[in-house]
Amino acid sequence: MREATIRTDHGEAETAARIAAALRPDNTEEMSTTTDGATVETRIERQTTGGLAATVDDYVVNLAVAADLATADRDTHE
């Protein structure tokens, strides 16, 4: 089994919660997403290195979109 843990800090617990909520529907059975304060943590397990790399790549794209959307409203009001 191959595994990766990705932790990202989003500055505020509320932002991290919104990002995690946006990510969870795309999680497969081999993935889990949690929050700890302002940090989002996703653990990914896959049988092969190639499968792990592909899943991490997909996750990072989804994370970037979720983070952009979670902070878009705040950015327009600053």
Side-chain angles (χ1 to χ4, degrees), residues 8-12 14-23 38 40 59-75:
T8 52
D9 184 287
H10 299 280
E12 299 174 346
E14 182 180 325
T15 301
R18 281 195 307 245
I19 291 169
L23 291 170
V40 174
Y59 172 81
V60 169
V61 170
N62 292 342
L63 173 64
V65 171
D68 285 347
L69 291 174
T71 59
D73 188 46
R74 180 180 63 200
D75 291 344

Side-chain angles (χ1 to χ4, degrees), residues 2-44:
R2 309 292 190 252
E3 54 187 64
T5 301
I6 301 168
R7 288 181 200 89
T8 52
D9 184 287
H10 299 280
E12 299 174 346
E14 182 180 325
T15 301
R18 281 195 307 245
I19 291 169
L23 291 170
R24 283 189 192 106
D26 290 327
N27 284 359
T28 65
E29 290 182 16
E30 298 93 359
M31 299 171 70
S32 64
T33 300
T34 59
T35 59
D36 181 12
T39 301
V40 174
E41 179 177 300
T42 298
R43 182 182 167 100
I44 303 167

